[in-house]
Amino acid sequence: MRSDSVKVGDAQAPHRSLFNALGMTAEERRRPLIGIVSSYNEIVPGHMNLDKIAEAVKLGVAMAGGTPVLFPAIAVCDGIAMGHIGMKYSLVTRDLIADSTECMAMAHGFDGLVCIPNCDKNVPGLLMAAARVNIPTVFVSGGPMLAGHVKGRKRSLSSMFEAVGSVAAGTMTHEELEEFEEKVCPTCGSCSGMYTANSMNCLTEAIGMGLKGNGTIPAVYSERIRLAKHAGMKVMELVEKNIRPRDIMTPEAFRNALIVDMALGCSTNTMLHIPAIAREAGVDLNLDLANELSAITPNLCHLAPAGPTYMEDLNEAGGVYAVMNELTKKNLLNLDCMTVTGKTVGENIKNCKNLDPEVIRPVENPYSATGGIAILRGNLAPDSGVVKRSAVAPEMLVHEGPARVFDCEEDAIDAIKGGRIKAGDVVVIRYEGPKGGPGMREMLNPTSAIAGMGLGSTVALITDGRFSGASRGASIGHVSPEAAVGGPIALVEEGDIISIDIPNNRLDMKVSEEELAARRAKWQPREPKVTTGYLARYRELVTSGNRGAVLEIPRK
């Protein structure tokens, strides 16, 4: 066993004395040591139940003959962090989570891991760590929140942010806003739409690192506790068979994940996280693959914010495995990929039927013949930009309009709520990228304000920052190269005509090459917004959005 390095032999007598100090018996030491990575805390609604999940996992490990050892991972609530300096600290935690988990796993000689994430950065951060450490690992999330109910309709957090814009537009009263506030987030769990947290938890199933239902069983269901116990049992089987993350997270598995991503209509943040996870697994994943797969993958689901269905509905319809089974009708998935069940994808999904064709469209009747996410390129985004195509109004798939340029999120929100943005405009928010932010803030506040002001089908938003999975509309993010490194988005001027052509994967500004060259010659880098602490170190090491905003030591 890997843990023999800290348990067996005369040289390990000091180590055993410290295990004795923990109250661990010799019988416990003789069993495989399983690290339980819990993201539990009392500030993130999606994590407040993870103590119960962790206890269930520990019981499952012990039942199957292992010794569970609990340790923590941090987590930021993107909703609470939204719209202020806190959002600079969201994406950056992904690497802290991966690094700290690597440190704990390597320092203590664990034989296996069970990772318990739930919200946005914890899932990819722990997947990155699992690929890096490469010891048998199973994922079990805390599960999604139930949808809220306001005036007879299901609602979610995106409804809450858009309600703020409606108040600013005078179309909603403060009393109605208070009703939304009381009702849209009724339980613990990751917010109830197909936002980033739920996207990544569903893709953990698709890539083979989570058990059936990991992405969709609601947080408050007892079924979630049973799933956690099974995850604890299953990791012991993986230890026995020596099935490790890199046996599962293969190029073919990442291809499967991208196809399921397109079918589900996941958050654009997956286009940051999947390449970052693949890199840790030793897989070179070019974003061009996303467009290739989108061209052949039907979009089968329109969960909030793209449509009126929620994670609980997807769960009742058969969950991720049912979506995957639909995709086999077009022979889109590699069914031979190994998974944490100890079985192949094909074996896992064989009998998983689509129980609700209104929630999961059959492949014969998709929402669209192409996938939910598109990668755009052009003279405004030479390296790439990303849009959640499934959440764009049909009339905005092709659009031209004048640029309204802002150098930070706050200025854009003031203009939107102040009524200075008109139908047809293209809002450009720059210097919010990985380096420019630093931290690549999500732009849920401005997109929600645009929707709440009634401009969601007439105004586009382009940024080198990123979007919450709760954003909808013609919201194009991750524009690379970013403004802070002199990317073309830094050269846009007020009134420039911006051309968006999502069906043809294009994003351009109608400015001549000669004029762009003249602007480039005059451009000067901005002084960093942050010069101390973790964000300053992050800014020095982080790469562009098109590379997953991963950290790299600068070459000398």
Side-chain angles (χ1 to χ4, degrees), residues 55-74:
E55 287 302 314
V57 169
K58 289 170 67 176
L59 183 57
V61 169
M63 288 167 64
T67 297
V69 182
L70 184 69
F71 66 90
I74 63 168

Side-chain angles (χ1 to χ4, degrees), residues 51 151 173 219 262 355 426 436 544:
D51 55 340
K151 301 187 187 306
T173 66
M262 298 300 167
L355 303 176
V426 178
S544 183

Side-chain angles (χ1 to χ4, degrees), residues 181-520:
E181 182 180 329
E182 290 293 326
K183 295 179 178 178
V184 296
C185 296
T187 73
C188 65
S190 48
C191 297
S192 56
M194 187 54 81
Y195 309 151
T196 305
N198 292 325
S199 295
M200 290 306 306
N201 282 321
C202 286
L203 295 185
T204 301
E205 285 188 62
I207 207 168
M209 290 296 293
L211 301 178
K212 181 179 184 289
N214 178 67
T216 59
I217 297 170
V220 294
Y221 283 15
S222 297
E223 186 182 358
R224 175 65 56 179
I225 300 298
R226 299 199 300 272
L227 180 73
K229 291 175 183 175
H230 283 130
M233 297 179 207
K234 189 58 66 173
V235 75
M236 296 305 299
E237 182 182 325
L238 298 183
V239 169
E240 181 182 350
K241 295 179 177 178
N242 195 30
I243 298 174
R244 296 180 291 172
R246 291 195 184 195
D247 300 323
I248 294 168
M249 290 193 276
T250 62
E252 294 77 16
F254 283 106
R255 187 182 187 278
N256 281 351
L258 285 171
I259 288 170
V260 175
D261 190 331
M262 298 300 167
L264 286 172
C266 290
S267 163
T268 53
N269 278 318
T270 61
M271 294 298 106
L272 284 177
H273 299 322
I274 293 176
I277 299 160
R279 177 174 177 266
E280 297 291 354
V283 175
D284 184 17
L285 191 67
N286 190 310
L287 279 183
D288 287 333
L289 180 61
N291 277 346
E292 292 173 24
L293 298 179
S294 181
I296 61 172
T297 304
N299 177 226
L300 305 182
C301 298
H302 266 193
L303 287 95
T309 54
Y310 294 82
M311 296 306 297
E312 61 202 61
D313 302 311
L314 178 59
N315 187 63
E316 294 301 317
V320 175
Y321 278 16
V323 174
M324 294 174 75
N325 203 22
E326 279 290 336
L327 294 171
T328 63
K329 297 176 184 178
K330 291 178 69 73
N331 297 315
L332 289 171
L333 298 176
N334 186 315
L335 302 180
D336 296 326
C337 291
M338 179 53 60
T339 72
V340 293
T341 66
K343 299 178 182 179
T344 65
V345 168
E347 290 172 311
N348 286 342
I349 68 175
K350 184 177 180 182
N351 297 312
C352 296
K353 302 263 191 295
N354 179 359
L355 303 176
D356 191 340
E358 295 301 314
V359 177
I360 304 172
R361 289 276 187 95
V363 292
E364 302 85 5
N365 181 35
Y367 282 101
S368 66
T370 53
I373 291 178
I375 306 298
L376 311 183
R377 283 191 171 84
N379 70 353
L380 184 50
D383 288 343
S384 68
V386 181
V387 64
K388 187 170 182 175
R389 175 165 43 195
S390 59
V392 178
E395 58 269 32
M396 289 297 289
L397 290 171
V398 177
H399 178 74
E400 284 191 3
R404 305 298 309 279
V405 184
F406 305 93
D407 287 349
C408 68
E409 176 189 8
E410 289 81 359
D411 290 349
I413 291 172
D414 286 345
I416 296 164
K417 291 186 176 179
R420 302 196 300 277
I421 302 301
K422 308 300 182 185
D425 286 348
V426 178
V427 176
V428 177
I429 305 178
R430 60 192 180 190
Y431 295 100
E432 291 285 7
K435 286 185 181 293
M440 205 178 186
R441 287 195 288 181
E442 289 184 341
M443 300 291 138
L444 178 57
N445 272 359
T447 58
S448 298
I450 287 169
M453 297 286 284
L455 298 170
S457 60
T458 59
V459 169
L461 194 154
I462 296 170
T463 181
D464 54 6
R466 59 196 179 92
F467 294 105
S468 165
S471 291
R472 62 186 174 97
S475 304
I476 301 167
H478 310 189
V479 169
S480 304
E482 62 174 294
V485 299
I489 192 172
L491 310 179
V492 181
E493 294 184 357
E494 188 81 6
D496 286 346
I497 299 301
I498 305 297
S499 173
I500 300 166
D501 186 347
I502 295 172
N504 289 303
N505 305 109
R506 296 293 304 180
L507 179 62
D508 296 283
M509 52 179 160
K510 293 195 164 182
V511 179
S512 70
E513 284 301 313
E514 294 77 14
E515 173 63 18
L516 287 177
R519 293 181 188 180
R520 191 171 288 111

Side-chain angles (χ1 to χ4, degrees), residues 125-138:
L126 289 174
L127 283 167
M128 289 165 68
R132 195 184 297 174
V133 174
N134 200 34
I135 59 176
T137 302
V138 177

